[in-house]
């Protein structure tokens, strides 16, 4: 049976026996669910978490746990590292990032409260080192906690908002942020009165004759069980990148070449449950889609070319923006032209082949099978821009303008079709997680197709269309920041719900 068909709504009149009763039932124990549950119990609710896996964590525990935070003059970490960040500056950045797909209310609310959210995360016992890594990296291998995780220093963003680092990552050497964060969250949850049931897959909701939610159905020990709910159900089961049926339906273009990035239960269960309650789903065709061709940052001195030998992006952009523009190119054929002194294998995409090496642009062009005067003409034009100190084509920041004039030159093949070949590991593929889901208010309340609140239904994280709305404008930290912050808001709202 398909994953989606196992999700259903049960009528309470069909002789349901409830195993017990809770004020708030949280479905999915990842970042959003854990934070929702903690806020709900702290606001006096009797809370149950149901988790499909044998333990909590989800993608949040797998992640680097970079959170995108700032505003209010700067978080305590930003200030300690000497950075100021106004709320309006951060709003300007995020609004430009998501263009007309952004939700202005959520952006404003998140930004106004990001400072306080960071203090809340620290209060769990998560430690941050008051030091910044200002290089062009994705995750610090050293233990600094503040970094640039998006396009802040790149055009067009640098024209609209003052560049400030907003990536906040728990301090540790290596990539362990998600585990550090989740261990701290889990410790608080274990110490609280929250009941946690793992190996319990939520299958749907129980409704009364007026379609009002009164319970949750789940499968545990091979038995379907039901719990009664008085105040609210919070759907926090993550996104749908592991559900082939949903990916083919909503992201057919990316499904051809993207490598799913998430945990095995990113099956879209929460979204399916919401849809059966007539919830509105939005932004389903948007996904994070990362081409992390750096570090080393020296590769940024190179230029990306398509199969016509044309540039198509400022190469100092964040990996998700690079991924977006790579995907737009004909047959997703994309190459990085780099000179010898700037070449070193990319950390995340080290297995990609060098298509050609030559001492002149003309030879390189010929060897790689480009039409004459395509690649060579673009490279010479680019060198002209470098000499003039201004990238007239894509406004790459002058910091990354360096003449490509020391042969040999190499052309590295980043074309997406290569990543379907068995010679590449999944690690080298453009990574994807989904950014569409249930439409919610900033309170976590779920809206139906008419824009009305569905009583007693809440959601957060990748089950919803939250703060991050496009891969093109995504900055690392926006997903965990969004899931944990709006998870908390959903937990607060559900615990106070009187409907
Ligand atoms: C390796 C990696 C690194 C990343 N790094 C970052 C980063 O640094 N910063 C950032 O912002 N984003 C990052 N992301 C993305 C980010 O981790 C996720 O988008 C985010 O954590 C999702 O949070 P969530 O709470 O919505 O879902 P999750 O944390 O995935 O939690 C969902 C939970 O629901 C459970 N579940 C699913 N279905 C059911 C069901 N039917 N019943 C009961 N339980 C169910 C799952 O098992 C899971 O535990 C990264 C992702 C990956 C994979």
């Amino acid at each position: 049976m398909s994953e989606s068909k196992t999700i259903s709504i049960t009528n309470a009149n069909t002789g349901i026996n409830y195993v017990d009763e809770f004020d708030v039932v949280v479905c999915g124990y990842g970042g959003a669910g854990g934070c929702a549950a903690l806020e709900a119990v702290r606001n006096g609710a009797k809370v149950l978490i149901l988790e499909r896996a044998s333990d909590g964590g989800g993608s949040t525990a797998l992640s680097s746990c970079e959170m995108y935070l700032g505003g209010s003059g700067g978080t305590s970490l930003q200030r300690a590292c000497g950075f100021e960040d106004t709320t309006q500056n951060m709003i300007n950045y995020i609004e430009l990032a998501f263009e007309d797909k952004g939700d202005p209310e959520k952006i404003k609310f998140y930004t106004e409260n990001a400072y306080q959210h960071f203090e809340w995360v620290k209060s769990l016992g998560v430690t941050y080192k008051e030091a910044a890594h200002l290089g062009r990296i994705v995750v610090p291998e050293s233990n600094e906690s503040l970094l640039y995780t998006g396009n802040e220093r790149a055009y067009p963003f640098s024209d609209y908002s003052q560049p400030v680092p907003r990536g906040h990552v728990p301090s540790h050497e290596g990539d362990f942020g998600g585990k550090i964060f989740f261990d701290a969250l889990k410790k608080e949850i274990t110490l609280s009165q929250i009941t946690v049931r793992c190996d319990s897959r939520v299958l749907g909701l129980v409704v009364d004759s007026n379609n009002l939610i009164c319970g949750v159905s789940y499968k545990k020990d091979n038995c379907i069980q039901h719990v009664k709910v008085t105040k609210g159900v919070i759907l926090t089961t993550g996104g749908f990148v592991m559900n082939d049926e949903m990916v083919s339906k909503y992201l057919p273009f990316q499904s051809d070449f993207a490598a799913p990035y998430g945990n095995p239960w990113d099956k879209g269960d929460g979204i399916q449950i919401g849809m059966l309650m007539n919830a509105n789903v939005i932004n389903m065709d948007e996904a994070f889609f990362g081409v992390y061709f750096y570090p080393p940052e020296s590769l940024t001195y190179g230029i990306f070319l398509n199969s016509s030998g044309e540039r198509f992006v400022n190469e100092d952009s964040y990996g998700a923006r690079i991924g977006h523009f790579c995907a737009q190119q004909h047959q997703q054929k994309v190459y990085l032209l780099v000179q010898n002194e700037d070449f070193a294998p990319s950390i995340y995409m080290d297995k990609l082949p060098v298509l050609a090496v030559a001492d002149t642009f003309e030879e390189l062009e010929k060897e790689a099978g480009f039409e004459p005067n395509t690649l060579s003409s673009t490279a010479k034009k680019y060198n002209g821009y470098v000499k003039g100190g201004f990238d007239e084509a894509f406004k790459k920041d002058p910091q990354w303008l360096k003449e490509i004039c020391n042969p040999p030159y190499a052309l590295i093949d980043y074309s997406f079709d290569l990543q379907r070949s068995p010679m590449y590991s999944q690690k080298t593929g453009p990574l994807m997680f989904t950014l569409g889901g249930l439409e919610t208010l900033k309170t976590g309340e779920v809206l139906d197709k008419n824009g009305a609140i569905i009583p007693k239904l809440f959601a957060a994280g990748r089950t919803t269309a939250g703060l991050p709305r496009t891969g093109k404008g995504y900055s690392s930290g926006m997903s965990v920041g969004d899931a944990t912050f709006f998870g908390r808001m959903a937990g607060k709202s559900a615990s106070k719900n009187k409907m």
Side-chain angles (χ1 to χ4, degrees):
M1 193 187 286
S2 88
E3 286 286 339
S4 317
K5 289 197 181 111
T6 55
I7 301 296
S8 62
I9 302 296
T10 308
N11 199 307
N13 299 334
T14 54
I16 296 269
N17 286 322
Y18 292 111
V19 286
D20 39 22
E21 177 179 316
F22 291 87
D23 296 327
V24 174
V25 176
V26 176
C27 307
Y29 185 13
C35 292
L38 199 54
E39 285 289 6
V41 80
R42 286 178 176 176
N43 280 279
K46 184 182 174 200
V47 181
L48 169 69
I49 302 179
L50 295 169
E51 166 56 45
R52 180 173 184 172
S54 296
D55 199 354
S59 301
T60 306
L62 296 175
S63 81
S64 313
C65 203
E66 289 173 347
M67 290 195 203
Y68 200 80
L69 304 167
S72 305
T75 63
S76 53
L77 178 60
Q78 286 177 314
R79 287 184 211 213
C81 295
F83 292 95
E84 270 184 38
D85 191 11
T86 68
T87 301
Q88 192 56 50
N89 189 40
M90 184 165 160
I91 290 175
N92 292 348
Y93 176 81
I94 302 179
E95 283 190 342
L96 182 64
F98 301 126
E99 300 169 3
D100 58 344
K101 297 206 166 186
D103 177 335
E105 257 200 46
K106 276 191 186 154
I107 293 173
K108 186 165 181 287
F109 188 56
Y110 177 84
T111 307
E112 283 171 351
N113 290 284
Y115 173 98
Q116 181 276 338
H117 186 54
F118 182 57
E119 296 307 309
W120 186 88
V121 173
K122 283 201 300 182
S123 76
L124 299 175
V126 183
T127 51
Y128 293 83
K129 183 175 175 185
E130 291 183 345
H133 188 310
L134 301 181
R136 183 158 154 74
I137 52 167
V138 179
V139 180
E141 287 298 316
S142 39
N143 61 2
E144 298 91 345
S145 284
L146 187 67
L147 65 155
Y148 285 98
T149 54
N151 297 293
E152 298 83 359
R153 295 177 287 189
Y155 179 81
F157 300 88
S158 51
D159 275 10
Y160 285 86
S161 61
Q162 179 66 31
V164 182
R166 300 196 181 96
H168 291 57
V169 64
S171 177
H172 200 288
E173 282 184 20
D175 191 358
F176 296 101
K179 176 158 171 48
I180 294 170
F181 168 75
F182 202 80
D183 282 353
L185 181 63
K186 189 173 156 184
K187 194 169 162 202
E188 283 299 303
I189 286 175
T190 308
L191 292 173
S192 75
Q193 298 297 311
I194 298 170
T195 305
V196 179
R197 286 184 195 147
C198 293
D199 296 313
S200 301
R201 181 185 179 189
V202 174
L203 295 175
L205 302 176
V206 183
V207 297
D208 67 13
S209 49
N210 295 318
N211 211 32
L212 188 67
I213 294 168
C214 47
V216 175
S217 312
Y218 63 100
K219 190 171 181 183
K220 185 172 176 61
D221 300 332
N222 222 14
C223 252
I224 309 277
Q225 308 189 18
H226 310 282
V227 279
K228 198 166 183 184
V229 186
T230 54
K231 290 176 182 271
V233 175
I234 308 179
L235 301 172
T236 49
T237 61
F240 64 88
V241 78
M242 298 294 175
N243 183 326
D244 292 343
E245 218 176 288
M246 288 179 79
V247 169
S248 306
K249 179 170 177 187
Y250 296 110
L251 296 155
F253 172 60
Q254 292 89 332
S255 70
D256 266 0
F257 36 72
Y261 200 42
N263 77 84
W265 304 131
D266 269 335
K267 299 279 190 185
D269 283 1
I271 299 173
Q272 299 281 345
I273 292 170
M275 286 166 81
L276 289 179
M277 291 297 296
N278 199 35
N280 202 27
V281 289
I282 56 170
N283 214 45
M284 295 293 276
D285 57 349
E286 282 290 349
F288 162 95
F289 195 60
V291 173
Y292 289 132
F293 74 99
Y294 59 91
E297 63 180 21
S298 60
L299 291 172
T300 311
Y301 292 123
I303 52 174
F304 265 109
L305 302 171
N306 60 20
S307 55
S308 306
E310 293 157 344
R311 282 177 75 209
F312 54 84
V313 69
N314 41 330
E315 295 80 4
D316 54 344
S317 301
Y318 175 60
R321 192 170 176 85
I322 298 275
H324 168 83
F325 285 106
C326 286
Q328 310 301 309
Q329 305 312 308
H330 180 59
Q331 294 181 339
Q332 294 76 49
K333 296 232 177 272
V334 287
Y335 313 89
L336 187 73
L337 166 57
V338 65
Q339 62 192 342
N340 194 40
E341 67 190 34
D342 297 326
F343 176 77
S346 140
I347 287 188
Y348 302 107
M349 305 182 87
D350 59 331
K351 292 195 178 69
L352 298 186
V354 175
L355 187 65
V357 177
D359 284 339
T360 67
F361 296 137
E362 285 76 9
E363 281 168 15
L364 192 71
E365 173 175 83
K366 196 170 171 198
E367 198 184 319
F370 282 71
E371 292 293 318
N373 295 320
T374 51
L375 175 156
S376 57
S377 149
T378 302
K380 286 175 192 165
K381 203 183 275 177
Y382 176 76
N383 278 342
Y385 297 154
V386 175
K387 280 187 196 134
F390 179 65
D391 173 11
E392 286 177 34
F394 290 95
K395 301 192 180 174
K396 183 168 162 180
D397 190 86
Q399 180 195 350
W400 297 110
L401 292 181
K402 180 176 173 187
E403 215 179 329
I404 303 176
C405 58
N406 282 325
Y409 309 121
L411 204 58
I412 310 166
D413 195 344
Y414 280 83
S415 303
F416 290 0
D417 55 347
L418 291 171
Q419 285 142 23
R420 275 176 282 183
S421 145
M423 71 177 278
Y424 299 100
S425 72
Q426 180 155 318
K427 199 178 162 198
T428 62
L431 304 166
M432 176 167 88
F433 62 84
T434 58
L435 297 175
L438 305 178
E439 186 178 11
T440 52
L441 297 178
K442 62 184 184 181
T443 51
E445 291 158 297
V446 178
L447 298 179
D448 72 10
K449 288 183 183 142
N450 300 315
I453 291 168
I454 301 177
K456 291 170 77 172
L457 192 61
F458 303 83
R462 298 287 57 77
T463 300
T464 66
L467 180 82
R469 291 290 173 97
T470 65
K472 184 181 172 196
Y474 187 85
S475 300
S476 185
M478 287 182 169
S479 187
V480 175
D482 163 79
T484 53
F485 176 75
F486 285 106
R488 289 179 57 209
M489 298 308 117
K492 271 189 197 173
S493 310
S495 64
K496 292 179 183 155
N497 190 29
K498 295 203 169 42
M499 285 173 126

